[in-house]
Amino acid sequence: MKSLTLSIVAVALLFIGCSEDKKSAPAAQAAQMPPLPVKAQKIKFDKANFTKSYSAVLKPFREVDVVARVKGVLVKENFKEGTFVKEGATLYEIQKDEYGAALEESKASWLKAEANFNKASRDWERTEFLFKNSAISVQQRDDILYAYDSAKAEVQKAKAALKNAELNYGYTTIKAPIDGVVGLSSRDVGAYIETQNSKLTTITALNTLYAEFSIPSSDASKYASQIKTGAKVTLKSGTKSYEGTVDFIAPKLDLQTDTLLLRAVFENPKRELILGSYAEVSLEGFSYDSVAKIPQGALIKTPDATVVYIIENGTASMRAINVLHVQNGVAMVEGGVQENEEIAISNIAKLKPNAKVTVMDGK
């Protein structure tokens, strides 16, 4: 019985020994793994230029409503909707008969007033001579002077009426106020224009346009000295880029959106940019005085911070950093790293805290 007990104990110790060997194997293998090869970059602080990108909406540089200034029947439409028209081109014609007759009547009234004034002038000249020679009374002199002044006033009144008749007659021909693409016509030929200032169509200039965009108040305060009228702006639409300049900065923040409105002007000679569409604008002229440039691929984002692997004495350890801006795959870092420290920039996914690494050539 005693020998049986000893045999069981021996077998149990054998199994326990085998189990401990299996548990210690991974640790031993880990200790024997070679250092992970990585590429490294030495930290250097320097001045860096960068751009800021914002979403913009394209708006017309000039857009004018074409209106009828006089009432009447629309007798001609001299354009095709959606085509380009030059400034001064005749768009519409309103029936002229009534306004032509009024113009002729005004001309006749003016000629009559001129004739009366000429007679009154001659009468006044004779009256002055007679009065100086005591040939007429003061009352007679005053009556002739009143007739002269009245005739003179009638001439001015007739001139004003004639000018107004000429304007109304001219308004029967409606011309394009600007170069641009003419929109849909709101009235057909034969329609009667019942009210003045009735909108007939719209002309939109397309060779130049605006891009309006808003920047957050944080950017507005942080880069206040760099956001200026005349600053260069790049607009991207599809695969093409366009250069423009800032021509307007709102004097105050929009309290509802907590943003500052900016506007840039762009040339659009080929009319490739479509009004009302959205595009991305990049505002240039920003810079940091002293930042480190780190490849974006070297960054690791955690719930609490953005970190990089610092390489010291062949060991990679995590370090939280302060990223100011990321542009074209490069992160601009202000704090968390020091001059001449090395960071890992490859094999980031395979790295673990306190892992042994070896820096490859060509770093």
Side-chain angles (χ1 to χ4, degrees):
M1 185 68 177
K2 185 176 181 180
S3 61
L4 179 59
T5 301
L6 290 175
S7 298
I8 293 173
V9 171
V11 171
L13 289 174
L14 179 61
F15 277 108
I16 292 173
C18 291
S19 177
E20 290 297 328
D21 288 343
K22 288 180 181 179
K23 288 181 180 180
S24 62
Q29 290 176 2
Q32 295 174 2
M33 286 182 64
L36 182 68
V38 296
K39 290 183 179 179
Q41 175 181 304
K42 187 171 287 188
I43 295 298
K44 181 180 179 182
F45 285 86
D46 202 352
K47 183 176 182 178
N49 298 322
F50 65 97
T51 62
K52 295 284 290 183
S53 295
Y54 305 96
S55 178
V57 61
L58 304 185
K59 295 191 173 183
F61 181 75
R62 294 181 72 189
E63 188 170 62
V64 179
D65 289 339
V66 178
V67 299
R69 302 290 296 275
V70 292
K71 302 177 183 179
V73 177
L74 194 64
V75 294
K76 282 187 180 180
E77 183 178 291
N78 301 316
F79 66 91
K80 184 178 180 181
E81 296 168 325
T83 59
F84 180 82
V85 294
K86 295 287 291 183
E87 179 180 353
T90 298
L91 302 178
Y92 297 96
E93 292 184 36
I94 293 174
Q95 190 173 19
K96 302 177 183 292
D97 297 352
E98 178 182 348
Y99 298 98
L103 177 58
E104 292 302 320
E105 183 179 353
S106 296
K107 285 180 180 179
S109 297
W110 172 71
L111 290 173
K112 182 178 179 180
E114 283 281 348
N116 291 335
F117 175 69
N118 290 336
K119 179 181 181 302
S121 296
R122 290 192 296 270
D123 289 345
W124 173 241
E125 288 176 2
R126 286 192 296 269
T127 299
E128 283 189 306
F129 174 78
L130 294 172
F131 183 74
K132 288 178 182 179
N133 291 280
S134 302
I136 60 173
S137 67
V138 173
Q139 180 64 50
Q140 289 174 314
R141 173 188 176 276
D142 289 346
D143 289 343
I144 299 300
L145 177 59
Y146 175 77
Y148 169 79
D149 288 339
S150 295
K152 186 178 180 179
E154 285 297 323
V155 170
Q156 296 302 318
K157 180 180 178 181
K159 281 184 178 179
L162 176 59
K163 184 175 181 180
N164 186 60
E166 288 174 339
L167 286 173
N168 286 335
Y169 184 79
Y171 289 150
T172 60
T173 299
I174 302 172
K175 298 183 178 182
I178 61 171
D179 293 349
V181 175
V182 64
L184 295 173
S185 184
S186 64
R187 300 295 181 91
D188 294 326
V189 171
Y192 183 78
I193 309 300
E194 297 180 353
T195 59
Q196 292 181 339
N197 298 323
S198 297
K199 180 180 174 182
L200 300 178
T201 189
T202 301
I203 297 179
T204 305
L206 296 180
N207 289 348
T208 306
L209 50 77
Y210 287 126
E212 288 187 4
F213 57 101
S214 297
I215 64 175
S217 59
S218 56
D219 281 3
S221 58
K222 188 183 299 182
Y223 309 118
S225 62
Q226 297 167 306
I227 300 174
K228 297 178 180 179
T229 301
K232 299 297 181 183
V233 183
T234 301
L235 182 147
K236 290 185 178 179
S237 180
T239 59
K240 294 188 176 182
S241 297
Y242 304 82
E243 299 298 323
T245 55
V246 173
D247 78 323
F248 171 79
I249 300 174
K252 61 181 181 180
L253 292 171
D254 185 323
L255 297 180
Q256 292 185 338
T257 61
D258 196 29
T259 59
L260 183 68
L261 176 67
L262 277 75
R263 186 183 70 188
V265 60
F266 292 87
E267 295 301 322
N268 186 34
K270 296 182 180 179
R271 305 175 197 168
E272 296 172 319
L273 296 172
I274 301 175
L275 293 175
S277 64
Y278 288 90
E280 181 183 81
V281 294
S282 297
L283 190 59
E284 302 175 0
F286 298 99
S287 63
Y288 294 117
D289 290 332
S290 181
V291 292
K293 294 182 179 180
I294 295 176
Q296 186 177 2
L299 307 182
I300 302 171
K301 290 188 176 182
T302 71
D304 300 321
T306 299
V307 301
V308 293
Y309 277 107
I310 301 293
I311 300 175
E312 293 180 307
N313 301 320
T315 302
S317 57
M318 282 186 168
R319 177 92 60 82
I321 58 173
N322 181 25
V323 178
L324 297 176
H325 185 65
V326 178
Q327 178 178 307
N328 299 327
V330 176
M332 300 175 190
V333 177
E334 183 180 45
V337 290
Q338 299 179 2
E339 188 89 14
N340 294 322
E341 284 188 320
E342 285 190 321
I343 63 167
I345 61 172
S346 70
N347 272 338
I348 304 301
K350 296 180 180 180
L351 279 174
K352 295 181 180 180
N354 301 318
K356 294 296 182 180
V357 297
T358 179
V359 177
M360 296 186 291
D361 292 336
K363 60 184 177 183

